[in-house]
Amino acid sequence: MGKTLFDKIWDSHIVASKPGFPDAVYINTHFIHEVTSPQAFDGLRKRGIPVFRPGKTRATADHNVPTVDQHLPIKEALSRKQVEMLTTNTAEFGVELYGLGHRYQGIVHVIGPELGITLPGMTIVCGDSHTSTHGAFGAVAFGIGTSEVEQVLATQCILQYKPKRMKIEVNGQLKKGVVSKDIILYIISKISASGATGYFVEYAGEAIRGLSMEARMTICNMSIEMGARGGLIAPDSTTFDYIKGREFAPKGEDWNKALACWQTLHTDEDAVFDKVLSFDAADIEPQITYGTNPGMGMGVTQHIPSLGDIEDKEKPSFSKSLQYMDLAPGSRLLGKKVDYVFIGSCTNSRIEDLRMVAGFVKGKKKADDVTVWIVPGSKQVEAQAIEEGIDKIFEAAGFQLRQPGCSACLGMNEDKIPAGKYCIATSNRNFEGRQGPNARTFLASPLTAAAAAITGRVTDVRELI
Amino acid sequence: MVSTAVPLSIENIDTDQIIPARFLKATTREGFGENLFRDWRFDEQGAPKKDFVLNNPVYKGRILVAGKNFGCGSSREHAAWALGDYGFKAVVSSFFADIFKNNALNNFILPIQVSDEFLQQIFSAIEKDPAAALEVNLEEQYIRIVPTGEQQQFDINPYKKTCLLNGYDDIDYLLSLREQIGTYEASRPFNF
């Protein structure tokens, strides 16, 4: 019987598989950042052991960093300490760091792909649940905890149970104004925030194949928001064209050999998935979330479910969520006033996202009572945006182009949404307090967020393009 | 272990609720219990919110009982550290997010997955009498509601069970594989 792409990669990375034991899986690339690594380095010190393969771990500072005045010392003492500790830890253990001020610095899931570190067929882990992003290249990539970060630093392996396999097909063509963020928000709204728990997902179908690499990363990025261990897309010419020539990508004869190997990375025709779901791209309209988990989403023109639509045992959680958001069951979001617009995060902060927003807002101005933050995913994205004059378009529109980092996706730095305010965000989580204590988040695509920036309200972007 | 339990019947409790991101700045594993469920437990001035279960002296114990899909969202192991630091030894739910489950086990906190029905039975028993104790037997893999005698078996991987019972961790095992790891690396022409 044939194998799925996930099985091919997983099985070829097993170092040891003993009955009753989880698989010891070899990790090709390990990314670390300042928040989930200090305790892991401490663990190595306590055991008196080095990093086993220091060249296979790369570090960057992203979660805590300010997005203005990055040349100055970090004001907040605890953030500064964590970032400094990453610098000392990586220096002591011989790990390459792209820290603040480095031309490669940025959100860990943005820089891996743009530097050509992320490659098809790899196993990739990071102490961050959005590591699933790298699956867009046909890699098995997933988020881990700090004890597991320590495992990888110590042995370049991780102990894991093999997840089940799920295929999600999106067939047909996307309609006008609908982008990859809408696809993934739509899927999560259909299967819930736990609909893929225990599974590793392969995304397939015509609508997925037609996406650029950056759009594919947005889809894989949010796999965790439906509970999946990870999500991947088989590599194809779009993937290879994206990788070729990037800083750390194979070159010359190595490129030819690598390419020959990557071309075998696909699911066999007779392979069997544990679960298969199919969606039609034509059914998807621009999406928005109304609740406090990413599964609570809908088409931007639709109504929030009424209490009568919700199962009895789920009513308390549903009501608690809408109470937090100060929204009425059965109401519509269209026309709802927003206070902040955040375009950034490992989901939507790449150059294509910024180009999409710039293309839409060129010649327009933001609504007076809205604050708009554009946070590029990396120094390279920032430089590219400036080179293309995108910064000027944002400036003219009244948007602030800030410096790279995770920023208001999780509000670990100063970029917090004030209590009670509504923010339309291109990030990945609308949990209570995620963007700041008592902040209220609507997740949407960069286009839908840009439309809200212009009108000051939740808007159907299709009416403006 | 026999203990009373703290009921938190909310579904989809994500790790941002268990420990909000702004408290992830510590560089050790200790002290996170102070901010466990911070924004549900305390108001903006830091005063305890009376209606939150951890602030109700009637409910205490080393077992947290929570609605389905517990621990979803961020991979932060700080969530498991916060629960452990606060004093919880086990979490009972009808469904756990994968990464949280691993993090809990790596910190010797037992995630006990029970059926939706059994979870409701536990909530009812505690509602009836907050002093109702739960018995957790890891060796025999069952959880029992002491006053009613209702019990259910739970699954745990035999390897993880051995680790929990004996205090082993994964790194000890992985370090014993170093030679095999070297052999594996030598067999691969590329780093993928």
Side-chain angles (χ1 to χ4, degrees), chain B residues 97-158:
Chain B
D98 285 331
I99 305 179
F100 174 79
K101 198 160 35 175
N102 284 349
N103 286 342
L105 288 165
N106 283 335
N107 288 280
F108 304 99
I109 294 169
L110 181 61
I112 303 174
Q113 187 163 328
V114 297
S115 66
D116 282 325
E117 294 71 30
F118 194 74
L119 187 69
Q120 287 314 314
Q121 288 169 3
I122 298 176
F123 281 133
S124 309
I126 302 172
E127 194 180 349
K128 219 161 142 196
D129 178 10
L134 302 178
E135 180 195 345
V136 175
N137 188 318
L138 174 58
E139 191 85 49
E140 306 284 329
Q141 294 179 222
Y142 70 79
I143 174 165
R144 194 165 69 93
I145 307 171
V146 175
T148 66
E150 291 159 317
Q151 74 173 57
Q152 193 166 73
Q153 294 297 123
F154 61 84
D155 278 340
I156 179 168
N157 176 272

Side-chain angles (χ1 to χ4, degrees), chain A residues 97-145:
Chain A
L97 167 67
Y98 308 134
L100 262 191
H102 194 286
R103 67 194 168 104
Y104 293 159
Q105 180 267 337
I107 304 174
V108 63
H109 310 308
V110 174
I111 69 169
E114 78 182 2
L115 290 170
I117 299 169
T118 299
L119 299 174
M122 276 186 164
T123 46
I124 299 174
V125 295
C126 173
D128 188 286
S129 61
H130 294 110
T131 308
S132 57
T133 311
H134 307 264
F137 291 79
V140 167
F142 52 92
I144 57 176

Side-chain angles (χ1 to χ4, degrees), chain A residues 172-186:
Chain A
Q173 303 275 342
L174 289 175
K175 290 196 167 155
K176 187 181 86 166
V178 178
V179 296
S180 70
K181 181 65 165 286
D182 299 306
I183 300 178
I184 191 66
L185 285 173
Y186 175 84

Side-chain angles (χ1 to χ4, degrees), chain A residues 31-37 58-67 70 74 79-87 90 96-102 104-109 111 376-379 403-407 413:
Chain A
F31 293 108
I32 59 171
H33 60 83
E34 75 277 19
V35 178
T36 58
S37 66
R58 312 271 181 136
T60 191
D62 56 3
H63 280 63
N64 264 307
V65 301
T67 57
Q70 287 187 346
I74 300 174
S79 294
R80 189 173 64 243
K81 187 178 165 204
Q82 227 173 25
V83 171
E84 284 170 359
M85 194 162 272
L86 183 70
T87 308
T90 49
E96 179 108 351
L97 167 67
Y98 308 134
L100 262 191
H102 194 286
Y104 293 159
Q105 180 267 337
I107 304 174
V108 63
H109 310 308
I111 69 169
S378 69
K379 292 302 282 181
Q403 291 173 300
C406 298
S407 181
N413 67 355

Side-chain angles (χ1 to χ4, degrees), chain A residues 12-13 15-16 18 20-22 24 26 28 35 39 47 52-53 56 64 76 78-79 81-82 85 120-122 127-129 143-148 150-151 154-155 157 159-161 193-194 197-198 224 229 257-258 261-262 293 313-314 317 320 410 412 429 431-432 434 437-438, chain B residues 9-12 14-17 20-30 32 39-40 44 49 68-69 72-78 81 95-99 102-103 106-107 116 120 157-160 169-175 177-178 180-182 184-185 188 190-192:
Chain A
S12 68
H13 285 79
V15 169
K18 272 208 276 188
F21 281 73
Y26 191 80
N28 297 119
V35 178
Q39 294 87 350
R47 288 172 204 265
F52 185 58
R53 296 288 182 251
K56 294 188 179 188
N64 264 307
E76 219 264 316
L78 289 173
S79 294
K81 187 178 165 204
Q82 227 173 25
M85 194 162 272
M122 276 186 164
D128 188 286
S129 61
I144 57 176
T146 299
S147 295
E148 295 168 317
E150 190 181 335
Q151 290 177 29
T155 67
C157 287
L159 285 184
Q160 288 287 301
Y161 295 101
S194 59
T197 303
I224 182 69
R229 204 69 185 86
K257 284 184 191 159
C261 172
W262 295 338
N293 73 60
K313 68 182 174 74
E314 286 173 6
S317 297
K320 181 181 187 297
L410 83 170
M412 273 196 85
R429 288 186 175 138
F431 297 149
E432 284 184 32
R434 173 80 179 180
N438 289 311
Chain B
S9 66
I10 299 161
E11 296 182 347
N12 298 310
D14 58 80
T15 53
D16 270 86
Q17 307 316 313
R22 62 188 190 279
F23 300 110
L24 306 184
K25 298 183 186 188
T27 51
T28 65
R29 293 175 181 235
E30 292 78 36
F32 289 100
D39 293 336
W40 288 355
E44 281 156 50
K49 291 183 181 176
K68 76 168 182 208
N69 199 25
C72 59
S74 157
S75 60
R76 60 190 69 167
E77 191 162 320
H78 312 65
W81 299 336
F95 200 78
F96 287 96
D98 285 331
I99 305 179
N102 284 349
N103 286 342
N106 283 335
N107 288 280
D116 282 325
Q120 287 314 314
N157 176 272
Y159 164 78
K160 275 295 171 190
D169 77 13
D170 289 349
I171 295 182
D172 299 329
Y173 170 61
L174 282 173
L175 285 172
L177 297 177
R178 278 206 179 178
Q180 273 165 276
I181 297 168
Y184 172 84
E185 286 176 326
R188 305 286 295 178
F190 297 108
N191 186 34
F192 48 78

Side-chain angles (χ1 to χ4, degrees), chain A residues 99-364:
Chain A
L100 262 191
H102 194 286
R103 67 194 168 104
Y104 293 159
Q105 180 267 337
I107 304 174
V108 63
H109 310 308
V110 174
I111 69 169
E114 78 182 2
L115 290 170
I117 299 169
T118 299
L119 299 174
M122 276 186 164
T123 46
I124 299 174
V125 295
C126 173
D128 188 286
S129 61
H130 294 110
T131 308
S132 57
T133 311
H134 307 264
F137 291 79
V140 167
F142 52 92
I144 57 176
T146 299
S147 295
E148 295 168 317
V149 170
E150 190 181 335
Q151 290 177 29
V152 180
L153 291 174
T155 67
Q156 206 56 39
C157 287
I158 188 168
L159 285 184
Q160 288 287 301
Y161 295 101
K162 192 174 180 178
K164 291 179 281 185
R165 314 144 197 88
M166 182 189 287
K167 179 161 83 164
I168 297 183
E169 289 177 337
V170 186
N171 300 306
Q173 303 275 342
L174 289 175
K175 290 196 167 155
K176 187 181 86 166
V178 178
V179 296
S180 70
K181 181 65 165 286
D182 299 306
I183 300 178
I184 191 66
L185 285 173
Y186 175 84
I187 294 170
I188 302 167
S189 77
K190 293 295 172 201
I191 74 170
S192 92
S194 59
T197 303
Y199 291 90
F200 209 101
V201 175
E202 179 173 347
Y203 300 96
E206 188 190 353
I208 301 289
R209 277 284 140 238
L211 297 174
S212 70
M213 277 323 291
E214 297 196 352
R216 292 179 188 184
M217 286 187 239
T218 301
I219 304 253
C220 291
N221 171 275
M222 290 193 73
S223 303
I224 182 69
E225 308 310 338
M226 51 190 176
R229 204 69 185 86
L232 51 61
I233 296 171
D236 56 15
S237 57
T238 304
T239 322
F240 310 138
D241 292 347
Y242 177 95
I243 297 168
K244 197 167 188 184
R246 289 189 183 262
E247 185 72 24
F248 297 104
K251 307 263 162 35
E253 191 45 32
D254 280 348
W255 171 263
N256 296 333
K257 284 184 191 159
L259 190 62
C261 172
W262 295 338
Q263 280 163 340
T264 67
L265 293 173
H266 53 79
T267 291
D268 295 328
E269 262 174 46
D270 55 343
V272 177
F273 288 87
D274 298 288
K275 198 170 183 178
V276 177
L277 301 174
S278 290
F279 299 97
D280 186 343
D283 292 340
I284 306 175
E285 63 167 326
Q287 300 286 301
I288 191 157
T289 63
Y290 55 85
T292 56
N293 73 60
M296 300 175 83
M298 61 182 186
V300 70
T301 61
Q302 292 174 344
H303 293 255
I304 296 170
S306 301
L307 265 183
D309 304 331
I310 305 293
E311 275 186 55
D312 276 350
K313 68 182 174 74
E314 286 173 6
K315 276 180 185 158
S317 297
F318 176 78
S319 298
K320 181 181 187 297
S321 179
L322 289 196
Q323 204 178 349
Y324 179 86
M325 294 296 291
D326 195 22
L327 295 170
S331 64
R332 274 177 117 185
L333 283 186
L334 213 53
K336 174 88 187 163
K337 192 185 168 314
V338 298
D339 308 292
Y340 282 77
V341 174
F342 169 59
I343 294 171
S345 87
C346 56
T347 314
N348 282 120
S349 65
R350 297 179 178 82
I351 191 65
E352 284 182 12
D353 298 312
L354 269 47
R355 284 182 192 141
M356 190 195 305
V357 172
F360 173 77
V361 304
K362 192 169 186 178
K364 300 187 179 82

